[in-house]
Amino acid sequence: MGLSGGRIALLQRIADTGHEPDGWAGPGSGLDARSTGPLVRAGLVREASAAERAGLAARTGRPVPWAVRLTHDGRDVLLYARRRAAPPVGAPPEPGLQKVALHRCDLDVLERFVALDGELHDGPAKDLGLAVEAARFHPQSNRWIMYVDGAQMRSMARAFYLERHSGSAAPANRFTRVYGVNHQPRPLGLVPRVERDPAG
């Protein structure tokens, strides 16, 4: 189970108030062993040992009965949570690119598609993988935002075509309904009877 927003906020408070030497945050920061216990058990926060508390007391000139600081995992979780909650940022899209908003499951289809680059007979369009990698989550719409050109749009439609025939038709249906792009395989020509039935 992931951390609640309240526990992420607690990690942030420890990071913000860890002004003691080496980033330790003590009771004076509005923290206590009970509130930080779940983070300690998760390995995201570490309590100071008796020797470390004695060293802190010697350096600060006051008793330090208890203190905590973020572990490396705690810092990484906090950085990741900040990035996850942040609105998409980056350079404006280049002229001629179209904004596409996708469900997470649609982006999953595209990630599988670009992972097969070099193996498929009709693989991803140029730089589609980069566009997929650059997709950013937009919390207000609950969609993943991409910017693609016409060739990449058609390539995305092919990815959803492959998904239709091997998994779910929903991504292809959504893409066609919203953007009007649908992959239509070229029909095979009629095979002459002499080729179909040489013995006939």
Side-chain angles (χ1 to χ4, degrees):
M1 181 181 294
L3 292 181
S4 67
R7 290 183 180 176
I8 293 294
L10 192 56
L11 282 176
Q12 184 65 62
R13 187 192 303 177
I14 295 170
D16 291 342
T17 58
H19 299 314
E20 302 290 355
D22 303 321
W24 293 103
S29 307
L31 304 166
D32 56 43
R34 181 177 180 181
S35 64
T36 59
L39 300 178
V40 172
R41 290 190 290 274
L44 304 179
V45 166
R46 184 172 73 81
E47 291 187 351
S49 66
E52 288 168 328
R53 293 197 306 271
L56 287 171
R59 283 184 283 181
T60 60
R62 63 178 184 273
V64 180
W66 175 89
V68 291
R69 69 179 180 186
L70 300 182
T71 63
H72 294 310
D73 283 343
R75 292 185 185 280
D76 286 351
V77 166
L78 184 57
L79 285 172
Y80 185 87
R82 290 172 182 165
R83 178 60 179 266
R84 187 175 187 272
V89 295
E94 297 178 9
L97 296 185
Q98 179 171 348
K99 178 181 176 180
V100 178
L102 300 173
H103 291 254
R104 176 66 246 190
C105 58
D106 300 339
L107 191 63
D108 290 341
V109 172
L110 297 180
E111 289 175 347
R112 289 193 290 270
F113 182 59
V114 299
L116 291 170
D117 191 15
E119 299 181 51
L120 296 169
H121 177 74
D122 188 359
K126 181 182 178 182
D127 293 337
L128 178 60
L130 295 177
V132 170
E133 185 178 346
R136 291 293 178 265
F137 182 67
H138 187 261
Q140 287 72 29
S141 63
N142 195 32
R143 296 291 185 272
W144 288 82
I145 306 301
M146 294 174 54
Y147 293 93
V148 294
D149 61 26
Q152 291 165 349
M153 285 285 283
R154 294 188 293 274
S155 190
M156 291 166 66
R158 177 163 175 79
F160 297 137
Y161 163 83
L162 297 177
E163 174 69 17
R164 175 194 293 275
H165 286 283
S166 57
S168 170
N173 291 342
R174 276 193 296 268
F175 197 65
T176 301
R177 181 174 65 250
V178 176
Y179 300 105
V181 182
N182 182 30
H183 179 74
Q184 294 286 355
R186 289 176 296 180
L188 296 175
L190 293 177
V191 180
R193 180 176 177 81
V194 68
E195 293 185 17
R196 287 189 288 113
D197 188 8

